[in-house]
Each structure stands twice: as C-alpha cells, then as structure tokens.
Amino acid sequence: MEPSSGKSSPLRNILVRMLLFGVFILLLRFVYVVTVTGGSCTADDFCFFSGPENINFAGAGVRRGSSAVAVAGVGSSNSALRDLWTSKEWRKNVDFYSSVFQDLISEGFLSPNSKALCVETPTGQDEFALKEIGVSDAIGISKKASPPLVKFGKAFRQPFDDNTFDFVFSGGGEIDRSVQPAGFASEIGRTLKPEGFLVVHTSSAKDMYSFNSFLGLFNCCRLVRSRDIEGPDSTIREIVLKKDIEILGHGEENPDGFSVNNKCSVPGHKQELVRNAEPLIAEEPLKPWITLKRNIKNIKYLPSMADISFKKKYVYVDVGARSYGSSIGSWFRKQYPKQNKTFEIYAIEADKAFHDEYKLKKGINLLPYAAWVRNETLLFEINRDPGQKIEAKGRGMGRIQPVKSSTGLASDVNKIQGFDFANWLKNTVSEKDFVVMKMDVEGTEFDLIPRLFETGAICLIDEIFLECHYNRWQRCCPGERSSKYEKSYGQCLELFNSLRDSGVLVHQWW
C-alpha cells in the first residue's frame, strides 16, 4: 500500500528550493560585504551578524587595528586603490612602518592615545600602519590628496592649528626632496605640541656637516637620539627630536644670530672640514700667476666633502666681481659643485666700467659699490702695472685708497660709495644659509677680514676663495717685485692660517 504523503512531494520540493535560493542570496551578500566593503557590516547591509571592526582583510592574513575602517571606505569604484592596498609592495612598506612605530611605542615616543600626523605621505602607508597598530587618531597630508587616507596639505603650509599633534612623522626621505626645508621644519615646530615628538627618516644627514645643518632647522626641538636603521630598500637615518616647552619661536631667530658682543665661534663640524682641506702653499711661488692658477685643481670644495642639504637658502657673494666672465660665468656657474641647488648670486663691483654688463645677466644681484669697513665715500683708483696700456687685456684693477702720486702708476680716479660689508652680510644671510664667498679686492682683504671677525659675520660664511695681494714677482719684469702692494707673501700666509686656525674653510685664489 503506497503512502498517502506522496501528494505533498511537489510542495516540499518548492519549499526546499526557496530555502536554498534564500541561502544563496545570503551567501552572495556575505561575499559582497567581505570582498568589496572590506568586511564591514552596517544596518543597511542586511546582515544577520556584525563582524569585529578591527579585522583587516587588506593584507595577507588577519591583522588587528583600525586600518580596516579605512579599507572599508573604498567602494567598488576605486579598484585601483584597493589593488594598491593589497599589493605585496604596499604590505612590505606597511610592515616596515608598523615595526618602526612599535619600537617608538616601546621607547615612550608614541602611544595609542597620541594624536599623530604623517607629513608628505604620498599614499599613506605610514598612516595606515599607525592605525593598524592601534593609533586611531592619525592623519596624513601630502601636496596631492589620496582619499580616504591622505588629505591635501603642504608640509610648509599645514592646515592645522598651533600645538595640535603629540607625534609627527616624516618618512620616505621626503624632507630630503623638500624645496623649502626651513618652512618644512618651521611648520612642524608650529603644529607639534610642547613635549611632543618628531621622528624623521632621511637618506641625508649622514656626515656631521649635514647632520648639524638638519638640527639647525629645528630650533623648536632638541635631539633625543639618532641611529641608522634598515629600511625596505636601503639603510636610512632615523632622527628623534622633542619639542621644548620654551623656545625662541617657530622660524624666528636672534636678529643678529650672535651674542651681545657680536662674537661667534666656528662649530666643530666646520673645523673638521678645514682639517680635510688641501694644504696651503707654504713657500712663495716664483711664478704666482702659474702656481696659484694651477692650485685650483687641488682645491677640496666643501660640497665635495659634505652634503649641503637642509639649508634655508644658498648664496654666492663675489666681492670684487669685475666682469661677469671673470669668475661668476667662467668658474662658479660652470665648475663649483652645487649639488643641484639654486644659488642667489651677488656681484659686488665698484668699477662702473662693468655695471652695464650685469644689466643683461639674469639671476645676478649687482651691488655697484665698494665693500668696505664702514659706510662712506671713497676714492676709487684704477691701477695698472708699469708699461700696461688700457687697451692691453682690458681695464686695470681697482683699489679703494687715496691716490699717491709717488707710486709712478697710471691712475684713473673716481669717487664711489663704500658700504659696511660685514653689516650687509649679517642683514642678508643667516647661519641657516649656505654661503660661499670669493674675495678679490686688491689688498683691502687686510681690512675686510678683520672686520668680519670683529662683527662675528665670519661665522656666516661656509667657504671662502680669497686672493691675497702682496708684492709678488712681476711677470713683465723678471727680478722685480710689484710696488702696488706693501704686504709680503708671509703676511698673506699668516692671514690664511689665521682663518683656518679659526675653523674657516678658506682656499688660496689667484
């Protein structure tokens, strides 16, 4: 006898199929939530359960932290960003930063409660790592926004109030590439809270000169520690600074940069450069016009010995510039190693014969006066060697001194304005700048150099190329010395030695 329930089989099949269809819909919805929204489930997602917010599906495995919230904010329309966040390269860099930040937490420089800022972070890997290890109140800025992690903001013009952050991080060597490192440092000093910590990763600052230049930018902070660490691709320098409670000011400095008595002391890292410089020519050359000119091949330029990054600006001052081709065009612009830095150029030349030429040269600031020890009117004397005609190899050299008819030298005399060069220098540059000076002033160096020491302005100059004028042997007249200058070669050598003994990197110029 057949069971009577056979009539209900079609109804049962329909119910089973509906149930299976409902399960399929729920499964499809679950797959969508996991793969597209990063695992988050809101009230509008039609979920039967809510997963923990700290699960992160962005990497290879499950990680704790709040980074999943950021990943969840990327919809299906931003697949390129999702691909970036799940790439091996991204994961490698995030793991590196996570390790760095965990070390900083263990050392007390960072905490989960810190309000943190990542500066110039193009894709936000460092911010991502901070959130992943539990520092939820973290934000990243860059000159190009990359939502939802990175917001628009320039390092040297941050969109935040003063004393906003407990912790600031600059990674990836971004400060090395900054076109305004001083502004970069000043803004960090403004937005970092007192007693807050700044951590910088840099590929520079490996020699003492550049390291001290770096520290000089951050007058807001004191050094806590500096060490080399292995980065994702190479060794980098990690520098930790702490903002002092009382500071001089963000981007401010003493108007003179010196003590009340205007004295300064050359720091040890500059003195080390002097010890590594080429030796001075101790014995008077018989043919100085050959020996001194050849000496340029032996010169050890400062940028060839140290990294000149982390300076506020770069300045070249040519004192006694004469024509453009005399040294600016023929030597400084073509031969001086600038490390791809752009220099402000000042040409100081009292001789009116060269002034019109500079009007046609872009990027050069002409000071049509005589560098002197005070502001006063002077007599400018054009001197030529015996037998030299005006047409022969151009105009003679100019000296600022009274005319002496007894010298027997042909002379052209004009009244010119002299200015206090040391005072001008102190008003034009600061110790945060990189300053190169060439001086060829026909004997006035014996007045100007002591004045630079007296005022402390000598400490503003990083490198000097000095031509010292003495009664050298004449090229035209064998066995005869020049009567234009009273100083001897020994006195010139004393001047060079006094500069180097004081820690000033000076080279003999011709």
Side-chain angles (χ1 to χ4, degrees):
M1 184 176 178
E2 296 293 332
S4 60
S5 61
K7 296 181 180 180
S8 63
S9 293
L11 180 60
R12 184 186 300 115
N13 290 339
I14 291 173
L15 291 175
V16 170
R17 289 176 181 177
M18 291 178 63
L19 179 61
L20 290 174
F21 181 76
V23 171
F24 175 75
I25 293 298
L26 291 175
L27 183 61
L28 184 65
R29 179 60 179 168
F30 177 75
V31 171
Y32 168 79
V33 169
V34 170
T35 60
V36 177
T37 67
S40 68
C41 186
T42 63
D44 296 331
D45 286 331
F46 193 65
C47 297
F48 285 105
F49 63 91
S50 175
E53 290 185 356
N54 60 355
I55 294 180
N56 174 22
F57 294 89
V62 179
R63 295 176 176 272
R64 292 197 173 272
S66 56
S67 62
V69 178
V71 177
V74 182
S76 59
S77 61
N78 207 334
S79 59
L81 191 56
R82 178 165 299 284
D83 290 342
L84 172 66
W85 286 359
T86 56
S87 67
K88 290 183 179 180
E89 185 68 21
W90 171 276
R91 190 68 252 168
K92 180 180 75 170
N93 290 325
V94 169
D95 287 344
F96 165 70
Y97 286 125
S98 295
S99 175
V100 167
F101 294 140
Q102 286 169 356
D103 287 345
L104 294 172
I105 287 177
S106 67
E107 294 176 276
F109 305 138
L110 175 66
S111 78
N113 297 322
S114 296
K115 186 175 181 64
L117 170 67
C118 297
V119 182
E120 286 296 351
T121 171
T123 56
Q125 294 167 340
D126 41 5
E127 179 194 350
F128 193 101
L130 279 170
K131 291 182 176 180
E132 193 169 70
I133 65 170
V135 184
S136 58
D137 194 2
I139 187 172
I141 61 169
S142 180
K143 52 182 172 289
K144 184 178 181 180
S146 181
L149 286 177
V150 183
K151 302 182 182 300
F152 172 77
K154 296 180 179 180
F156 51 85
R157 194 176 297 135
Q158 299 176 17
F160 307 112
D161 293 334
D162 295 357
N163 304 323
T164 298
F165 299 99
D166 305 292
F167 177 85
V168 177
F169 179 74
S170 173
E174 289 298 324
I175 192 172
D176 302 347
R177 294 183 285 274
S178 175
V179 295
Q180 298 186 35
F184 190 112
S186 178
E187 274 294 88
I188 287 177
R190 182 183 67 82
T191 58
L192 184 64
K193 291 180 180 178
E195 297 192 312
F197 289 96
L198 162 67
V199 178
V200 177
H201 285 181
T202 172
S203 299
S204 302
K206 293 184 178 180
D207 59 82
M208 289 306 297
Y209 182 88
S210 60
F211 180 69
N212 280 276
S213 297
F214 173 89
L215 295 180
L217 293 176
F218 294 92
N219 63 322
C220 64
C221 307
R222 60 178 173 84
L223 177 66
V224 177
R225 70 159 168 78
S226 173
R227 66 176 183 177
D228 289 336
I229 62 174
E230 287 300 321
D233 303 306
S234 61
T235 302
I236 57 178
R237 172 69 64 92
E238 181 179 81
I239 302 173
V240 180
L241 302 173
K242 183 177 182 180
K243 183 175 177 179
D244 292 327
I245 297 178
E246 295 183 2
I247 59 175
L248 181 62
H250 312 303
E252 299 175 8
E253 53 192 17
N254 187 297
D256 294 328
F258 304 96
S259 60
V260 176
N261 60 6
N262 282 329
K263 299 297 181 182
C264 71
S265 59
V266 178
H269 64 275
K270 286 189 176 182
Q271 295 177 10
E272 180 65 25
L273 293 172
V274 173
R275 287 190 286 271
N276 293 329
E278 76 284 353
L280 296 172
I281 301 173
E283 191 171 334
E284 180 183 357
L286 297 177
K287 297 181 178 180
W289 56 90
I290 297 177
T291 304
L292 294 176
K293 193 169 185 177
R294 285 177 178 173
N295 189 52
I296 192 172
K297 298 178 182 179
N298 302 322
I299 287 177
K300 292 185 178 180
Y301 297 100
L302 193 157
S304 69
M305 297 188 286
D307 187 342
I308 61 172
S309 301
F310 309 126
K311 290 295 186 177
K312 188 175 181 179
K313 62 182 180 180
Y314 301 84
V315 180
Y316 173 62
V317 182
D318 196 327
V319 189
R322 291 181 58 77
S323 68
Y324 170 80
S326 178
S327 59
I328 296 176
S330 63
W331 168 71
F332 182 76
R333 282 189 161 174
K334 291 182 178 181
Q335 298 183 41
Y336 188 82
K338 305 175 190 64
Q339 295 187 7
N340 294 320
K341 307 299 182 183
T342 300
F343 278 72
E344 294 179 14
I345 298 178
Y346 292 89
I348 300 175
E349 178 52 57
D351 194 339
K352 297 178 181 178
F354 302 112
H355 293 173
D356 288 341
E357 179 183 7
Y358 284 104
K359 294 178 182 178
L360 304 176
K361 303 298 179 182
K362 295 182 179 180
I364 298 180
N365 304 290
L366 173 66
L367 277 67
Y369 314 109
W372 188 231
V373 297
R374 66 184 69 88
N375 298 325
E376 65 179 350
T377 302
L378 300 167
L379 292 178
F380 186 72
E381 178 187 12
I382 303 299
N383 293 307
R384 291 178 291 279
D385 290 324
Q388 179 186 353
K389 297 181 180 180
I390 297 179
E391 296 80 11
K393 297 186 178 181
R395 188 171 173 88
M397 302 292 184
R399 288 193 295 170
I400 48 175
Q401 65 175 27
V403 177
K404 296 181 180 180
S405 58
S406 60
T407 61
L409 302 178
S411 303
D412 297 326
V413 181
N414 295 289
K415 284 187 177 181
I416 59 167
Q417 182 62 43
F419 72 103
D420 189 334
F421 172 68
N423 187 57
W424 171 85
L425 191 65
K426 291 174 68 175
N427 288 323
T428 304
V429 301
S430 74
E431 290 181 303
K432 294 182 179 181
D433 302 326
F434 182 76
V435 182
V436 182
M437 181 183 77
K438 189 227 78 179
M439 181 177 285
D440 179 5
V441 288
E442 300 300 307
T444 311
E445 61 269 15
F446 286 96
D447 299 291
L448 293 178
I449 296 298
R451 173 67 175 166
L452 290 173
F453 274 103
E454 176 189 338
T455 59
I458 194 69
C459 288
L460 298 173
I461 306 171
D462 293 271
E463 190 168 22
I464 301 177
F465 298 84
L466 174 64
E467 179 173 356
C468 188
H469 298 81
Y470 64 97
N471 58 345
R472 64 185 188 179
W473 299 109
Q474 293 283 353
R475 185 174 185 177
C476 67
C477 314
E480 294 185 17
R481 288 185 178 275
S482 171
S483 57
K484 288 193 299 184
Y485 311 107
E486 298 177 353
K487 303 295 183 180
S488 66
Y489 186 81
Q491 289 173 299
C492 281
L493 198 59
E494 288 178 6
L495 182 61
F496 282 109
N497 281 321
S498 68
L499 284 163
R500 288 198 173 184
D501 290 344
S502 300
V504 180
L505 182 59
V506 62
H507 309 283
Q508 289 171 300
W509 203 241
W510 75 91

